[in-house]
Amino acid sequence: MCGIVGYVGREEAVPVLLQGLYKLEYRGYDSAGVAVLRPEGLKVVKTKGRIKNLEDKVQQVGGMEATCGIGHTRWATHGEPSDVNAHPHISRNGRIAIVHNGIIENYLELREMLTKEGYEMQSQTDTEVVAHLFEHHFKGDMMQALMDTVKDLRGSYALGILSADDPGEIYCTKRDNPLIIGVGEGENLIASDIPAIIQKTKHYIVLEDNQIARITPDQVEVFNAFGQKLEPEVQTVNWDISSAEKGGYEHFMIKEIMEQPKALRDTISPRIEGDLPRLEECGLTDELFHDLRNIHIVACGSALHAGLVGREVIERFARVPVSASVASEFRYRNPIIGKEDLCIVISQSGETADTLAAMREAKKRGARTIAIVNVVSSSAAREADSVLYTWAGPEIAVATTKAYSAQLAALYLVAIKAGLARGTLTEEEGKEYCRKINELPELITEALRTRPQIQYLASLYSNRQSVFFIGRGVDYAAAQEASLKLKEISYIHSEAYAAGELKHGTISLIEDGTLVVAMANDKALYEKTLSNVKSVKARGASVIMVTNEEVEPDPEICDFVVKIPDCDPALSASLSIIPMQLFSYYMGVYRGCDIDKPRNLAKSVTVE
Ligand code: F6R
């Protein structure tokens, strides 16, 4: 996720662009840049770091006075955060500047084609390819060049384009990424989100996929993909600016919960080709998975919980022993790990001290390492032998939701890749699982529809002192994440138990009114879990069942059923966790907790 802003009017463009970029910093903040059109041509200033760094650099450089420009705040995907990888990117002849949000999936192909034509890449980004491609197609007509350029692109994008040949104009287009046009008086803007335009206007047009817009100070023209002019609807912002960065949501946590279909799509779609996992670009070759003795997954907190799901799925698909360890324990227990083993570390931030230390220990002992990481060029990403990025975008809420879900998706792909490489999955089985993974974003959207029911349940149970989560197999792994989420957001004591283990002692804590959430999404284990559920119900527990089975509430079994979509049991954590994230969120809201910054917690734990 990145942020785009563009301005064309009668005022100084740069202050408007910077103000807009500050409002979009929540979308990414590892580098930023602006380009303006001066009488002598395009002038670009860009830098690694936050918008403040850019503002300082613009002042140092000077000479940026202009009334037309584009700006960008980046969250790195292709290429580390650096001055050169920051946007805008410039075409070879220096006459086109481009800002981009999204991922160009076929950029390697395009880069090869353009390199053969003599274009030299300055950066490691997919975006620079688009700038050169535009120049390649430009024969004097911006619209035609843009239509020809997007025909060659695969993937998702929102693009803002400034051309030295068409002063006083900005062009933009989009596919699967948001872009709006702010409609002002004597000035118009483009942006990824409303907060970036609201300083100037409350009127805006939402650009639809494949539409192209041309904006000048006095005119906004929108065209369809064939260049036919359209009459877009102009809407008016009717909400409070202070909630704007959260896209109208009350908290970042709920916004990020709702963003999960996109986080999954972005993580999965560039990695599946012809219904098979394509992970070689991330350094995950077949060879890596041959002749393995063990896989050790090492992580902390929710990332470890994703690892617990990963352990179930990798063992199922690749038939290799997998352990999932708490990173802070792993390094001090003289772990049995060596060059016959693979160590997978999972981390949203890539900076968690315990996880980094565990990875270094594994490396020191000769193991090969894979990092599943969300923050590009973070320490874990730099130090691991191979990196599989989760493209969840920046996660602002301290409690992770979308990064956890993206970690699950990445682990499923690793499991399929390992199964295929080791011959424990046939190609047909691998393809079938990839097709199922591709369906997950849609199924998550469906699971998010439990939101009103979950809000109601939270209103009933938010006064409870203690909550138990139970499940078997993948459901047990998901239960552990559900329990952590509830603890950290609502401060309610909670525990997760393997459903069959409760009877070995902990069942003595179940009394009248204790809330038990039972997760049962594997048909093969359903009857077994059901008997554990009956035993807590018989002791007076209130029970919520989270299941894909067609069951109704029953006085002997459960008080409420939260129905989630049916899917392969190996992948069910991706769906069962959704109502549980919502449950924690609403429990916290009803208890008046500080949702996005729970007490005592930090987003990145860089101390041991
Ligand atoms: C819980 C949470 C933490 C992190 C843990 C690891 O919601 O966010 O438990 O999962 O601190 O952090 P990363 O993934 O950055 O290594």
Side-chain angles (χ1 to χ4, degrees):
M1 203 160 79
C2 307
I4 289 177
V5 62
Y7 174 83
V8 52
R10 295 185 171 85
E11 285 183 19
E12 280 298 320
V14 169
V16 181
L17 297 176
L18 287 171
Q19 211 179 344
L21 290 177
Y22 274 117
K23 293 288 180 197
L24 296 179
E25 214 171 10
Y26 76 90
R27 301 178 65 84
Y29 44 78
D30 59 38
S31 48
V34 286
V36 292
L37 192 53
R38 302 258 313 142
E40 66 272 21
L42 288 171
K43 185 150 182 193
V44 182
V45 175
K46 48 190 196 169
T47 181
K48 183 176 168 177
R50 305 190 78 129
I51 311 301
K52 182 72 185 81
N53 301 24
L54 177 66
E55 188 170 8
D56 293 345
K57 193 162 175 184
V58 163
Q59 264 176 7
Q60 276 165 22
V61 173
M64 293 289 283
E65 296 75 19
T67 54
C68 181
I70 52 177
H72 189 263
T73 180
R74 180 170 185 246
W75 180 258
T77 56
H78 296 73
E80 61 177 11
S82 66
D83 289 4
V84 71
N85 287 337
H87 303 204
H89 287 280
I90 303 296
S91 64
R92 178 176 61 178
N93 63 10
R95 301 194 68 75
I96 302 284
I98 284 192
V99 286
H100 166 224
N101 178 9
I103 295 176
I104 305 298
E105 287 171 17
N106 58 335
Y107 85 104
L108 286 174
E109 254 166 60
L110 294 170
R111 189 160 75 181
E112 203 180 310
M113 181 276 279
L114 290 161
T115 308
K116 277 191 195 136
E117 290 204 6
Y119 288 88
E120 271 179 41
M121 302 295 147
Q122 310 297 318
S123 74
Q124 301 139 346
T125 63
D126 49 343
T127 307
E128 187 186 350
V129 169
V130 185
H132 298 312
L133 187 65
F134 197 98
E135 180 185 317
H136 164 83
H137 283 301
F138 185 70
K139 311 274 183 295
D141 180 342
M142 284 290 288
M143 270 295 290
Q144 193 56 52
L146 188 47
M147 288 193 293
D148 292 343
T149 300
V150 296
K151 267 190 219 139
D152 289 344
L153 302 182
R154 262 202 342 257
S156 66
Y157 52 78
L159 295 168
I161 303 157
L162 198 59
S163 164
D165 292 305
D166 291 73
E169 292 183 0
I170 296 174
Y171 282 80
C172 60
T173 185
K174 63 149 286 204
R175 188 194 296 158
D176 289 338
N177 269 280
L179 201 66
I180 58 160
I181 300 165
V183 183
E185 285 183 17
E187 56 186 4
N188 291 305
L189 299 101
I190 63 166
S192 301
D193 200 355
I194 291 169
I197 61 156
I198 210 152
Q199 43 161 333
K200 289 272 151 206
T201 177
K202 284 193 139 196
H203 305 293
Y204 66 99
I205 294 166
V206 178
L207 206 64
E208 305 282 343
D209 275 0
N210 304 317
Q211 290 181 344
I212 294 176
R214 172 179 167 270
I215 71 165
T216 65
D218 300 305
Q219 210 180 15
V220 173
E221 292 174 293
V222 178
F223 306 89
N224 68 13
F226 309 103
Q228 291 155 332
K229 204 161 163 194
L230 306 169
E231 288 297 326
E233 183 194 351
V234 179
Q235 307 185 38
T236 303
V237 181
N238 60 357
W239 37 258
D240 174 21
I241 180 64
S242 66
S243 60
E245 288 86 347
K246 296 175 191 143
Y249 290 102
E250 203 175 333
H251 301 102
F252 279 111
M253 183 178 176
I254 184 71
K255 174 172 181 279
E256 289 164 5
I257 289 174
M258 301 307 286
E259 277 172 0
Q260 290 181 104
K262 176 163 171 22
L264 249 80
R265 212 171 281 124
D266 288 350
T267 302
I268 295 164
S269 63
R271 273 71 176 265
I272 295 184
E273 205 169 71
D275 285 341
L276 284 169
R278 188 189 68 181
L279 300 176
E280 290 73 14
E281 277 165 28
C282 315
L284 273 66
T285 56
D286 285 351
E287 181 275 326
L288 199 61
F289 297 102
H290 290 155
D291 308 322
L292 275 182
R293 183 176 62 176
N294 282 306
I295 296 181
H296 297 265
I297 298 178
V298 188
C300 305
S302 295
L304 175 64
H305 295 155
L308 294 173
V309 176
R311 179 181 70 184
E312 295 281 330
V313 184
I314 297 172
E315 284 197 345
R316 227 175 262 197
F317 291 181
R319 307 307 300 152
V320 57
V322 184
S323 69
S325 304
V326 173
S328 54
E329 291 292 314
F330 177 84
R331 67 179 296 212
Y332 293 115
R333 71 163 192 250
N334 193 6
I336 304 169
I337 186 166
K339 60 180 179 356
E340 313 83 350
D341 302 314
L342 180 64
C343 175
I344 303 180
V345 299
I346 309 170
S347 176
Q348 187 286 130
S349 62
E351 300 296 346
T352 301
D354 289 323
T355 306
L356 289 174
M359 181 170 78
R360 287 171 192 147
E361 188 64 37
K363 266 191 123 168
K364 201 169 80 190
R365 290 166 186 251
R368 281 160 303 166
T369 50
I370 299 176
I372 297 179
V373 178
N374 198 41
V375 177
V376 171
S377 294
S378 54
S379 303
R382 287 197 312 272
E383 291 182 32
D385 297 319
S386 316
V387 190
L388 179 51
Y389 283 115
T390 48
W391 298 132
E395 201 175 49
I396 312 290
V398 164
T400 182
T401 52
K402 62 175 182 170
Y404 166 83
S405 286
Q407 286 160 357
L408 293 185
L411 285 160
Y412 301 152
L413 293 173
V414 171
I416 297 172
K417 177 84 185 162
L420 290 167
R422 294 170 62 79
T424 47
L425 283 185
T426 62
E427 186 171 315
E428 206 29 64
E429 285 168 331
K431 286 186 171 179
E432 186 56 28
Y433 279 118
C434 282
R435 285 194 282 269
K436 287 178 177 173
I437 290 173
N438 262 329
E439 285 166 10
L440 283 176
E442 280 304 310
L443 296 177
I444 290 176
T445 303
E446 223 177 290
L448 285 166
R449 297 203 182 105
T450 56
R451 189 174 164 189
Q453 183 197 11
I454 296 295
Q455 183 170 5
Y456 169 67
L457 292 176
S459 76
L460 291 185
Y461 291 118
S462 63
N463 60 354
R464 297 298 150 113
Q465 304 288 316
S466 182
V467 180
F468 285 81
F469 291 85
I470 60 172
R472 287 169 180 262
V474 167
D475 278 315
Y476 174 40
Q480 293 181 72
E481 174 57 6
S483 172
L484 175 63
K485 215 78 307 166
L486 185 72
K487 275 185 264 214
E488 61 184 337
I489 299 303
S490 71
Y491 315 147
I492 296 174
H493 169 255
S494 154
E495 292 193 40
Y497 259 83
E501 180 63 12
L502 210 59
K503 59 184 177 290
H504 296 287
T506 307
I507 199 161
S508 60
L509 293 177
I510 306 292
E511 54 186 7
D512 245 1
T514 307
L515 179 60
V516 176
V517 180
M519 303 172 78
N521 295 288
D522 185 342
K523 286 187 181 20
L525 302 171
Y526 183 72
E527 290 300 327
K528 299 280 173 209
T529 305
L530 208 59
S531 40
N532 305 131
V533 174
K534 281 181 186 163
S535 69
V536 295
K537 191 73 188 137
R539 284 159 181 83
S542 311
V543 176
I544 299 174
M545 286 264 287
V546 179
T547 184
N548 51 25
E549 294 288 329
E550 294 298 337
V551 285
E552 293 295 327
D554 173 330
E556 286 191 9
I557 305 170
C558 67
D559 301 85
F560 294 97
V561 175
V562 175
K563 177 83 174 66
I564 60 165
D566 202 3
C567 80
D568 191 284
L571 313 181
S572 71
S574 291
L575 304 182
S576 61
I577 199 60
I578 301 295
M580 295 299 91
Q581 293 169 339
L582 290 165
F583 188 60
S584 307
Y585 172 73
Y586 283 113
M587 292 286 266
V589 168
Y590 283 118
R591 291 165 70 90
C593 300
D594 188 350
I595 301 290
D596 286 335
K597 293 193 188 67
R599 69 184 180 209
N600 308 338
L601 297 178
K603 187 68 188 158
S604 173
V605 185
T606 53
V607 290
E608 278 198 51

